[in-house]
Amino acid sequence: MNAMELLTTRRTYRRFAQKAVPQDVVDDIVQAVRLSSCGANRQAVRLVLVQSSEMVAKVQPLVKWAGYLPPEQGTPKADELPTFYAAVVQDTVIPGDLATDTGIALANMTLAAWDKGVGSCIMGAINKPALTALLGIEEPQKLAFMVAFGYPTHKASIVPMTEQTGVKYYLDENRDYCVPKRSAEEIVRARQRLPPRGSWQSRQALTEGVYTAYIHTFSPLLHKCLQNRFNFTDYYAQVLTFCFVQTILSAFPESAMNRIPSGQSKLYCID
């Protein structure tokens, strides 16, 4: 699979074959977390691996499945349970944006598993106090998520999100998961082009730029000069004018400045 195929097919899986996840896949999951990007390279994400059948069985009643579905549809049966869990833990002594770093690590580890055909389910609806005690997680480390792993026995596909579906996933007639996603057009907005010179939009932009420059630069400095009884010499006038013009120019993209014919004032083009 190429990268986009991997991203498209790496969905949440909730029913699994009773087949152990090989150690090489577990090693890939660990490496994926170790190599994850993180703020200031602080590396605050830790893992607790739950691989023995005895410990996996103890974890099962402490996690919840498929919040959008009734239990009889979303909760795996005894012969559909995952065979491996990873507890994702945050080292709270290390400063930084732990939520973002954890999200990146979760994406990496589940993609690494899916590259080997192992599905996953990231679980936030968990009994954190009980799992913390069961897994021996101690302060300053804090349990953030559990991730279930195994070989899926169902399919999961992207479908268009409509007014009828909303955001909730659902099961089709084959008990396969359908996951509504917004269209690309809905989630992205292209940067608007610069209005043509002389148009009302460009005049409005100029007006707003001048007003912003006056309010934030020229007016405060002038007030300060008068308040402190400065001698308003040409020097202060030049300083104020420079700041005023620079603030106006900063309100317009550099690409617009670059369209000015050589030899003409940059300020001249703002019309």
Side-chain angles (χ1 to χ4, degrees), residues 194-209:
L194 189 70
R197 292 176 59 187
S199 66
W200 71 267
Q201 293 100 330
S202 65
R203 290 193 294 272
Q204 182 183 34
L206 173 61
T207 302
E208 293 174 353

Side-chain angles (χ1 to χ4, degrees), residues 58-77:
K58 291 182 178 180
V59 168
Q60 306 290 11
L62 303 178
V63 297
K64 294 182 180 179
W65 297 84
Y68 283 152
L69 298 176
E72 63 272 17
Q73 292 184 20
T75 301
K77 296 178 173 59

Side-chain angles (χ1 to χ4, degrees), residues 168-195:
K168 295 182 179 181
Y169 49 80
Y170 57 92
L171 300 181
D172 65 12
E173 63 276 9
N174 298 316
R175 293 185 69 218
D176 291 328
Y177 278 81
C178 299
V179 186
K181 290 292 182 182
R182 303 180 193 276
S183 67
E185 292 75 17
E186 187 175 353
I187 68 166
V188 68
R189 179 177 64 84
R191 182 180 177 182
Q192 295 180 350
R193 294 181 178 180
L194 189 70

